[in-house]
Amino acid sequence: MTQRLFIYNTLTRTKEEFKAIDAPHVGMYVCGPTVYSDVHLGNCRTYISFDLIFRYLTHLGYKVRYVRNITDAGHLEDDSDTGEDKISKKAKLAKVEPMEIAQTYTVGFHDVLRIFNTLPPSIEPTATGHIIEQIEMVKEIMANGYAYEVDGTVYFDVEKYNQSFNYGVLSGRNLDDLLTNTRALGGQDEKHGRLDFALWIKAKPEHLMKWPSPWGVGFPGWHLECSAMSHKYLGNQFDIHGGGLDLVPTHHTNEIAQNEACFHKTPAHYWVHTNMLTVNGQKMSKSLGNSFLPHELFTGDNHILNKGYSPMTVRFFMLQAHYRSTLDFGNEAMEASEKGFKRLMNAVTLLDSLKASATTDVDIAPLRQRCYDALNDDFNSPVLIAELFEASRIINSVHDGKMAIDEENLAELKSVIEDFVTNILGLKNEQAAVDELPQVLEFMVNLRSEAKANRDYATSDKIRDGLQKIGIQLKDSKEGTTWSKI
């Protein structure tokens, strides 16, 4: 942890040197998905960005507790305090239990992130698993005088809170501006102020997901869930809170308000936000008809791009843009990323074949430090990738005999590639895995043949059945054993 890391903090609008509250321990909370539909590319960009941050902090020697929640209740339509629960609405349409919807899309979310080679968080709590903590938090906020009940619904009193704290501290807007620009919403008449938001919502008889509380049967507000779960697993104050930039004006602003009203402390020291996606310069959205899902990006089954792109190409494309900049999908940009990714992976593949010389034309130590310098400047992955292309140039030059490298620098070059390409950027050579498959299967077929020759039918059957479970079918004939994908 000798590196000096600087992070852009949305709270202060400046880059600040990262100083962990309780080094080497780091607490990081990232708002997870509401599991009522397939995870979209904007979500993926956020979680790939925080995967990079998680990986780099771990590489620096920090012991990171990464908490990313699953919202499986309480998130209403239009992100408001009224309307139908997004998961319940989907469940009614499909005529299934709400938890079936939540489970289906949680599994799908995990599958997509696994394809993108993101590491799982340390803890992945669900909103429904923390109803008690949320109720206790509402009780404490009420006891502190910052919330009130109206007919079974508990509202947060923003204007009263703002007398002691700054409600617009994260968004940079003052209360008068926020009040002026707030439109009237349903349930407005029972609120004390136009900006007040629900901590606990009284459930209508037809509402599917509801729990008993001191204020009657109801369910938690969307913002409350993250406050309760981040506090339970990371304490009154933790190091990093993250999410998409769209969460700043309301969700994260309300989280800060809830935590300060309850625990008298701002929850996180550093607030980190990823920017939005665009398609050919336009914001990606369903209403504009220019959005597509991860699997549609992989297969090319969309009307925006000319073809599909592999998961690692997409991850590389996302990391080529800084997490705080907009990321624009387009044919030219994707094709350029595909070429760049292949060029980098080709160099990585050549690395093992390089031979050390008695002399060297390169010193790899400055290259390593430049890689660190890039990431220490607010996780600047585009600059890091540019440095890795320099590493790629060195690999190709040594391979072609145009440059010499001694044993010490060759070992350091291999270490740089492993650290920054594999472990921190999380990139892997997809083609290598495909190319190696026939060799691996040939080895397994030969093992099975040997087992059968030794009359070890238990091992023979175990190999056959195991391969079948992962989609490979073996077929025995007089000519020998062949394999095919199921």
Side-chain angles (χ1 to χ4, degrees):
M1 287 182 289
T2 56
Q3 301 294 327
R4 294 183 67 197
L5 169 63
F6 289 81
I7 302 177
Y8 182 85
N9 190 352
T10 307
L11 194 66
T12 61
R13 292 159 194 79
T14 58
K15 284 183 190 176
E16 301 176 7
E17 184 173 358
F18 179 69
K19 295 182 184 292
I21 296 171
D22 182 28
H25 302 281
V26 168
M28 181 169 75
Y29 187 91
V30 176
C31 290
T34 300
V35 284
Y36 73 103
S37 64
D38 291 313
V39 60
H40 58 75
L41 283 171
N43 289 143
C44 294
R45 198 255 176 116
T46 293
Y47 303 129
I48 287 171
S49 297
F50 282 98
D51 184 60
L52 169 69
I53 292 171
F54 180 34
R55 286 169 178 270
Y56 187 54
L57 290 171
T58 302
H59 173 80
L60 291 180
Y62 290 108
K63 299 181 185 301
V64 185
R65 176 177 286 180
Y66 175 16
V67 182
R68 186 186 67 209
N69 73 293
I70 294 289
T71 296
D72 56 355
H75 195 167
L76 304 187
E77 296 172 288
D78 300 321
D79 301 344
S80 66
D81 295 337
T82 59
E84 199 165 1
D85 182 288
K86 294 182 178 185
I87 293 171
S88 293
K89 183 177 181 179
K90 195 71 171 272
K92 286 177 182 177
L93 290 171
K95 296 182 179 179
V96 298
E97 285 291 326
M99 282 296 102
E100 289 183 63
I101 296 296
Q103 177 69 7
T104 296
Y105 290 110
T106 299
V107 170
F109 169 66
H110 290 156
D111 287 344
V112 168
L113 291 195
R114 193 177 301 113
I115 290 170
F116 277 126
N117 198 32
T118 66
L119 300 174
S122 314
I123 301 173
E124 193 174 53
T126 63
T128 55
H130 296 78
I131 298 297
I132 292 173
E133 288 84 354
Q134 293 170 75
I135 290 174
E136 290 303 309
M137 195 169 176
V138 175
K139 287 161 67 176
E140 186 66 22
I141 293 172
M142 292 183 76
N144 290 339
Y146 295 111
Y148 56 92
E149 179 198 352
V150 179
D151 189 28
T153 294
V154 180
Y155 291 104
F156 188 92
D157 193 328
V158 171
E159 292 182 55
K160 186 171 182 182
Y161 162 82
N162 198 64
Q163 294 171 7
S164 303
F165 302 94
N166 180 3
Y167 182 68
V169 65
L170 188 65
S171 65
R173 301 177 66 189
N174 64 49
L175 195 66
D176 290 337
D177 288 342
L178 290 168
L179 285 167
T180 301
N181 292 288
T182 301
R183 62 188 175 92
L185 298 171
Q188 192 72 55
D189 291 342
E190 63 186 29
K191 296 180 182 180
H192 291 180
R194 296 182 68 180
L195 291 172
D196 294 358
F197 58 91
L199 299 172
W200 185 266
I201 303 170
K202 180 181 179 180
K204 295 177 181 178
E206 66 272 18
H207 198 91
L208 295 179
M209 305 177 78
K210 50 197 173 185
W211 294 265
S213 79
W215 316 284
V217 175
F219 55 94
W222 171 42
H223 313 300
L224 181 69
E225 299 169 355
C226 286
S227 284
M229 288 184 280
S230 65
H231 177 262
K232 180 178 177 67
Y233 297 108
L234 299 175
N236 282 356
Q237 284 192 309
F238 50 95
D239 298 288
I240 298 172
H241 195 312
L245 195 61
D246 59 315
L247 297 180
V248 171
T250 306
H251 186 56
H252 285 172
T253 288
N254 290 348
E255 275 193 65
I256 291 175
Q258 291 164 162
N259 283 61
E260 289 185 331
C262 189
F263 310 114
H264 312 292
K265 289 184 177 181
T266 302
H269 279 194
Y270 304 89
W271 289 79
V272 179
H273 293 95
T274 57
N275 213 325
M276 66 178 180
L277 302 184
T278 57
V279 179
N280 297 321
Q282 278 191 311
K283 182 180 178 181
M284 182 183 286
S285 69
K286 289 182 180 178
S287 61
L288 293 174
N290 66 352
S291 66
F292 42 87
L293 296 170
H295 71 269
E296 294 170 332
L297 179 56
F298 302 150
T299 62
D301 185 20
N302 64 79
H303 63 282
I304 306 294
L305 301 176
N306 293 334
K307 63 174 187 175
Y309 294 91
S310 72
M312 283 299 99
T313 297
V314 178
R315 183 180 174 104
F316 180 76
F317 168 71
M318 290 186 175
L319 292 171
Q320 275 192 300
H322 190 266
Y323 76 88
R324 285 196 293 113
S325 66
T326 56
L327 178 65
D328 188 57
F329 277 87
N331 285 302
E332 288 186 12
M334 288 301 302
E335 287 169 10
S337 280
E338 184 177 55
K339 289 176 183 176
F341 177 66
K342 286 180 178 177
R343 181 154 56 98
L344 181 60
M345 288 299 107
N346 286 340
V348 171
T349 302
L350 286 176
L351 191 55
D352 286 335
S353 66
L354 298 189
K355 304 297 182 184
S357 303
T359 60
T360 186
D361 297 323
V362 291
D363 180 4
I364 301 300
L367 172 65
R368 172 180 284 277
Q369 188 54 53
R370 291 198 303 273
C371 290
Y372 278 125
D373 291 343
L375 291 175
N376 289 337
D377 182 16
D378 195 26
F379 311 104
N380 200 322
S381 55
V383 173
L384 170 61
I385 288 171
E387 295 296 347
L388 292 172
F389 278 131
E390 172 60 16
S392 173
R393 185 191 67 80
I394 293 170
I395 292 169
N396 286 315
S397 295
V398 173
H399 179 266
D400 295 341
K402 298 175 182 177
M403 188 179 284
I405 190 168
D406 62 14
E407 193 169 326
E408 182 181 348
N409 278 286
L410 179 57
E412 179 65 355
L413 181 57
K414 290 180 178 180
S415 177
V416 164
I417 293 298
E418 182 178 2
D419 285 343
F420 292 96
V421 175
T422 306
N423 297 336
I424 296 172
L425 289 180
L427 297 171
K428 56 184 181 180
N429 194 341
E430 294 159 316
Q431 189 57 46
V434 172
D435 291 343
E436 291 165 5
L437 182 61
Q439 299 171 42
V440 172
L441 287 173
E442 184 177 351
F443 174 72
M444 296 300 293
V445 168
N446 289 340
L447 271 184
R448 180 168 175 267
S449 297
E450 289 176 15
K452 287 177 72 176
N454 295 329
R455 299 182 181 276
D456 183 0
Y457 298 115
T459 299
S460 169
D461 291 344
K462 188 174 182 180
I463 292 171
R464 180 199 62 205
D465 295 341
L467 289 173
Q468 188 161 13
K469 285 179 182 178
I470 62 171
I472 303 296
Q473 187 170 45
L474 300 183
K475 186 176 181 180
D476 296 321
S477 67
K478 293 180 180 178
E479 289 74 33
T481 303
T482 58
W483 62 269
S484 62
K485 291 185 178 180
I486 300 172

